[in-house]
Coordinates of all heavy atoms in Angstrom, one line a residue:
N1 N 103.5 106.4 102.7 CA 104.0 105.7 103.8 C 105.6 105.6 103.6 O 106.1 104.8 102.8 CB 103.5 104.3 103.9 CG 103.9 103.5 105.1 OD1 104.9 103.7 105.7 ND2 103.1 102.5 105.4
V2 N 106.3 106.4 104.4 CA 107.7 106.6 104.2 C 108.5 105.4 104.8 O 109.4 104.8 104.2 CB 108.3 107.8 104.8 CG1 109.7 107.9 104.7 CG2 107.7 109.1 104.2
S3 N 108.1 104.9 105.9 CA 108.8 103.7 106.6 C 108.4 102.4 106.0 O 109.2 101.5 106.1 CB 108.5 103.7 108.0 OG 107.1 103.4 108.3
G4 N 107.3 102.3 105.3 CA 106.7 101.1 104.8 C 106.3 100.2 105.8 O 106.0 99.0 105.5
T5 N 106.0 100.6 107.0 CA 105.6 99.7 108.2 C 104.1 99.7 108.2 O 103.3 100.6 107.8 CB 106.2 100.1 109.4 OG1 105.7 101.4 109.7 CG2 107.8 100.2 109.4
L6 N 103.7 98.6 108.9 CA 102.2 98.4 109.2 C 101.6 99.6 110.0 O 100.6 100.2 109.8 CB 102.0 97.0 109.9 CG 100.6 96.8 110.4 CD1 99.5 96.7 109.4 CD2 100.5 95.5 111.3
L7 N 102.4 99.8 111.1 CA 102.0 100.9 112.0 C 101.9 102.3 111.4 O 100.9 103.1 111.6 CB 102.8 101.0 113.2 CG 102.8 99.7 114.1 CD1 103.7 99.9 115.3 CD2 101.4 99.4 114.6
E8 N 102.8 102.6 110.4 CA 102.7 103.9 109.7 C 101.5 103.9 108.8 O 100.8 104.8 108.7 CB 104.0 104.3 109.0 CG 103.8 105.7 108.4 CD 105.0 106.1 107.7 OE1 106.2 105.5 107.8 OE2 105.0 107.4 107.1
G9 N 101.2 102.7 108.2 CA 100.1 102.5 107.4 C 98.8 102.8 108.1 O 97.9 103.5 107.7
I10 N 98.7 102.3 109.3 CA 97.5 102.5 110.1 C 97.4 104.0 110.5 O 96.3 104.5 110.4 CB 97.5 101.6 111.4 CG1 97.4 100.1 111.1 CG2 96.5 102.0 112.4 CD1 97.6 99.1 112.2
A11 N 98.5 104.6 110.9 CA 98.5 106.0 111.1 C 98.1 106.9 110.0 O 97.3 107.8 110.1 CB 99.9 106.4 111.8
L12 N 98.6 106.5 108.8 CA 98.3 107.2 107.6 C 96.8 107.1 107.3 O 96.2 108.1 106.9 CB 99.2 106.7 106.5 CG 99.0 107.3 105.0 CD1 99.1 108.8 105.2 CD2 100.1 106.7 104.2
W13 N 96.2 105.8 107.4 CA 94.9 105.7 107.2 C 94.0 106.6 108.1 O 93.0 107.1 107.7 CB 94.5 104.2 107.3 CG 93.1 103.9 107.2 CD1 92.3 103.3 108.3 CD2 92.2 104.1 106.1 NE1 91.0 103.1 107.8 CE2 90.9 103.6 106.5 CE3 92.4 104.5 104.9 CZ2 89.8 103.7 105.7 CZ3 91.2 104.5 104.0 CH2 90.1 104.2 104.4
G14 N 94.6 106.7 109.4 CA 93.9 107.6 110.4 C 93.8 109.0 109.9 O 92.9 109.8 110.1
E15 N 94.9 109.5 109.2 CA 95.0 110.8 108.7 C 94.1 111.0 107.4 O 93.5 112.1 107.2 CB 96.4 111.2 108.2 CG 97.4 111.2 109.4 CD 98.8 111.4 108.9 OE1 99.0 111.8 107.8 OE2 99.8 110.9 109.6
L16 N 93.8 109.9 106.7 CA 93.1 110.0 105.5 C 91.6 110.0 105.8 O 90.8 110.6 105.1 CB 93.4 108.9 104.5 CG 92.6 108.7 103.3 CD1 92.7 109.9 102.4 CD2 93.1 107.5 102.5
K17 N 91.2 109.3 106.9 CA 89.8 109.1 107.1 C 89.0 110.4 107.2 O 87.8 110.4 106.6 CB 89.6 108.3 108.4 CG 89.7 106.7 108.2 CD 89.2 105.9 109.4 CE 90.2 106.0 110.5 NZ 89.8 104.9 111.6
P18 N 89.4 111.4 107.8 CA 88.6 112.7 107.9 C 88.4 113.3 106.5 O 87.5 114.1 106.4 CB 89.5 113.6 108.8 CG 90.3 112.7 109.7 CD 90.6 111.5 108.7
L19 N 89.3 112.9 105.6 CA 89.3 113.5 104.2 C 88.4 112.7 103.3 O 88.2 113.2 102.0 CB 90.7 113.6 103.7 CG 91.8 114.3 104.5 CD1 93.1 114.2 103.9 CD2 91.3 115.8 104.9
L20 N 88.0 111.5 103.7 CA 87.2 110.7 102.8 C 85.8 111.3 102.4 O 85.2 111.9 103.3 CB 87.0 109.3 103.3 CG 88.2 108.5 103.6 CD1 87.9 107.2 104.4 CD2 89.0 108.2 102.3
T21 N 85.4 111.0 101.3 CA 84.0 111.4 100.9 C 83.3 110.1 100.4 O 83.9 109.2 99.8 CB 83.9 112.5 99.8 OG1 84.5 112.0 98.6 CG2 84.7 113.7 100.3
H22 N 82.0 110.0 100.5 CA 81.2 109.0 99.9 C 81.5 108.8 98.4 O 81.7 107.6 98.0 CB 79.8 109.2 100.2 CG 78.9 108.1 99.7 ND1 78.4 107.1 100.5 CD2 78.3 107.9 98.5 CE1 77.6 106.3 99.9 NE2 77.5 106.7 98.7
E23 N 81.5 109.8 97.7 CA 81.6 109.7 96.3 C 83.0 109.2 95.8 O 83.1 108.4 94.9 CB 81.4 111.2 95.6 CG 80.0 111.7 95.8 CD 79.7 112.2 97.1 OE1 80.6 112.4 97.9 OE2 78.4 112.3 97.4
A24 N 84.1 109.6 96.5 CA 85.4 109.1 96.1 C 85.6 107.7 96.6 O 86.2 107.0 95.8 CB 86.4 110.0 96.9
L25 N 85.0 107.3 97.7 CA 85.1 105.9 98.1 C 84.4 105.0 97.2 O 85.0 104.0 96.6 CB 84.5 105.7 99.5 CG 85.3 106.1 100.7 CD1 84.4 106.3 101.9 CD2 86.3 105.1 101.0
V26 N 83.2 105.3 96.7 CA 82.5 104.5 95.7 C 83.2 104.6 94.4 O 83.4 103.5 93.8 CB 81.1 105.2 95.5 CG1 80.4 104.4 94.3 CG2 80.3 105.0 96.7
E27 N 83.8 105.7 93.9 CA 84.4 105.7 92.6 C 85.7 104.9 92.6 O 85.9 104.2 91.6 CB 84.8 107.2 92.3 CG 85.3 107.5 90.9 CD 86.8 107.4 90.7 OE1 87.5 107.5 91.8 OE2 87.3 107.0 89.6
R28 N 86.5 105.0 93.7 CA 87.7 104.1 93.7 C 87.4 102.6 93.8 O 88.0 101.9 93.1 CB 88.6 104.6 94.8 CG 89.3 105.9 94.7 CD 90.5 106.0 95.7 NE 89.9 106.2 97.1 CZ 89.8 107.5 97.6 NH1 90.1 108.6 96.9 NH2 89.4 107.6 98.8
A29 N 86.4 102.3 94.6 CA 86.1 100.9 94.7 C 85.5 100.3 93.4 O 85.8 99.2 93.0 CB 85.0 100.7 95.8
L30 N 84.7 101.1 92.6 CA 84.2 100.6 91.4 C 85.2 100.5 90.4 O 85.3 99.6 89.5 CB 83.1 101.6 90.9 CG 81.8 101.5 91.6 CD1 80.8 102.6 91.1 CD2 81.1 100.1 91.6
R31 N 86.2 101.4 90.4 CA 87.3 101.2 89.5 C 88.2 99.9 89.7 O 88.6 99.4 88.9 CB 88.3 102.4 89.6 CG 87.8 103.7 88.9 CD 88.6 104.9 89.2 NE 90.1 104.7 88.9 CZ 91.1 105.2 89.5 NH1 90.9 106.0 90.5 NH2 92.3 104.9 89.1
Y32 N 88.3 99.7 91.1 CA 89.1 98.5 91.4 C 88.2 97.2 91.0 O 88.8 96.2 90.5 CB 89.3 98.3 92.9 CG 90.1 97.1 93.2 CD1 91.5 97.1 93.0 CD2 89.5 95.9 93.7 CE1 92.2 95.8 93.2 CE2 90.1 94.8 94.0 CZ 91.5 94.7 93.7 OH 92.2 93.5 93.9
C33 N 87.0 97.3 91.1 CA 86.1 96.2 90.7 C 86.2 95.9 89.2 O 86.2 94.8 88.7 CB 84.7 96.4 91.1 SG 84.4 96.2 92.8
D34 N 86.3 97.0 88.4 CA 86.6 96.9 87.0 C 87.9 96.1 86.7 O 88.0 95.2 85.9 CB 86.6 98.2 86.4 CG 85.3 99.0 86.3 OD1 84.3 98.5 86.6 OD2 85.4 100.2 86.2
L35 N 88.9 96.5 87.5 CA 90.2 95.8 87.2 C 90.1 94.4 87.7 O 90.6 93.4 87.0 CB 91.2 96.5 88.2 CG 92.6 95.9 88.3 CD1 93.3 95.9 86.9 CD2 93.5 96.5 89.3

């Protein structure tokens, strides 16, 4: 997020959503839960 704004963050999340996989979502979430 170059601008650091809320709206660019939402747009960036929109770019990321098609690239998401079930396995990666679970893995990142479990790592965060460990933390």
Side-chain angles (χ1 to χ4, degrees):
N1 185 336
V2 176
S3 69
T5 62
L6 170 66
L7 292 180
E8 184 176 354
I10 293 174
L12 178 52
W13 174 241
E15 296 173 24
L16 176 57
K17 278 193 286 190
L19 308 177
L20 296 174
T21 67
H22 180 93
E23 294 74 19
L25 282 162
V26 170
E27 189 270 338
R28 285 195 291 264
L30 289 175
R31 283 174 54 211
Y32 182 78
C33 289
D34 296 340
L35 176 63

